[in-house]
Amino acid sequence: MNRQLYWRRLSRQVRWRLPKPEADAVLADYEELLRQRPAERDNTLLEDLGTPAFAAKVLTEGKRYHLWLAAFGYLALCLLLPEVLLLRTSVSSLTAPILVLMALGMGVSLLLFHPRRESAKHPMPKGLLLALGGMAVLLVAVGVVVGGLIAGVWKSIPSEWYGKTAYFTLCLAGTVSTALGLFGLVKARIADRRWSALYLLGLTVLALCVLVLALLTTLDMPSGPDWWVPYVQRWTAVGVIGLVGTGVSLC
């Protein structure tokens, strides 16, 4: 194994297992160690230093690492459980518990990856803005479904067409936001804490998908000229809270 490959694998392992300050210090030591090794000894890296996974494990404090795994598992659950229920169309009676789960997930994420005072401003992680832009497109897609619902599109086209299109759009938006959210969560740990913004925005889009689908699948559809106002107010509040959390995580 050459030193470049060893370094990449070690970096991923260490950053996954250790908090950023400790990971930076450990990797700085290993970088200096690898720099001082003669190139002809690259073939004995594993024998001298151990595998990247073993080296990172030796440096890991078990209790703190297990706490991180528990937090990661909970944050992942905040995405995966609503996503499964969304795909099974089983959200109409569970919106309140799901929203509580998501709110706690947002709080835990901000606590884990909260903005820190840093001596130097680092550039925005490569690809993050593009990923957030893609998530914004999903948010617009959910807005189109909501707009069609308010405008009563189903009155001018076969209702089953609107229902199938809305369901497909919400499931697609929810699934993609879940995948991107999980990706952002992993990147926030191993690369840059600001990737947690992608997790928070994914959580927000998924929450809106759940809320809109819950209304579409209810057996007691509201009526009246302004029936949609309280629903839009609720959805707007969820969106604003999610966007604020996303903005905070980018600071």
Side-chain angles (χ1 to χ4, degrees), residues 16-225:
W16 176 254
R17 286 178 166 272
L18 299 178
K20 180 175 173 54
E22 297 177 20
D24 289 342
V26 167
L27 290 175
D29 291 340
Y30 267 91
E31 186 177 21
E32 182 64 24
L33 179 63
L34 291 174
R35 186 183 298 114
Q36 293 176 358
R37 284 177 62 90
E40 58 271 14
R41 293 184 59 192
D42 279 1
N43 58 344
T44 63
L45 269 174
L46 296 181
E47 290 81 359
D48 296 343
L49 303 179
T51 65
F54 177 77
K57 185 177 181 180
V58 169
L59 296 166
T60 302
E61 183 183 339
K63 184 177 180 180
R64 294 179 66 184
Y65 179 56
H66 292 150
L67 286 175
W68 154 244
L69 289 181
F72 176 81
Y74 176 76
L75 292 174
L77 180 68
C78 291
L79 285 172
L80 294 174
L81 180 58
E83 170 63 12
V84 170
L85 295 176
L86 182 72
L87 294 177
R88 292 172 58 89
T89 325
S90 306
V91 295
S92 57
S93 60
L94 296 172
T95 52
I98 289 174
L99 287 178
V100 170
L101 185 75
M102 291 180 169
L104 292 174
M106 183 171 291
V108 172
S109 175
L110 289 172
L111 184 63
L112 281 176
F113 305 110
H114 64 278
R116 301 177 179 87
R117 291 186 178 180
E118 298 169 342
S119 56
K121 291 291 184 180
H122 299 287
M124 193 66 66
K126 184 178 180 181
L128 176 56
L129 292 181
L130 181 62
L132 291 174
M135 199 75 81
V137 172
L138 298 178
L139 201 56
V140 171
V142 176
V144 170
V145 173
V146 173
L149 185 62
I150 294 173
V153 172
W154 69 86
K155 297 177 182 178
S156 55
I157 63 173
S159 58
E160 62 271 16
W161 289 9
Y162 173 78
K164 290 180 179 179
T165 302
Y167 174 69
F168 175 79
T169 302
L170 293 173
C171 286
L172 179 62
T175 300
V176 175
S177 63
T178 298
L180 289 177
L182 289 173
F183 176 76
L185 182 58
V186 173
K187 291 285 285 185
R189 177 68 173 187
I190 66 174
D192 190 303
R193 63 165 184 81
R194 287 172 291 183
W195 276 100
S196 62
L198 190 61
Y199 172 81
L200 292 176
L201 193 54
L203 205 58
T204 302
V205 174
L206 183 57
L208 292 173
C209 290
V210 168
L211 289 173
V212 176
L213 187 62
L215 177 60
L216 289 175
T217 56
T218 184
L219 297 177
D220 186 21
M221 193 71 176
S223 59

Side-chain angles (χ1 to χ4, degrees), residues 1-12 34 42 45:
M1 180 183 294
N2 61 53
R3 68 181 63 193
Q4 289 79 14
L5 179 59
Y6 187 92
W7 171 256
R8 287 198 300 270
R9 293 183 178 179
L10 177 67
S11 179
R12 285 196 296 266
L34 291 174
D42 279 1
L45 269 174

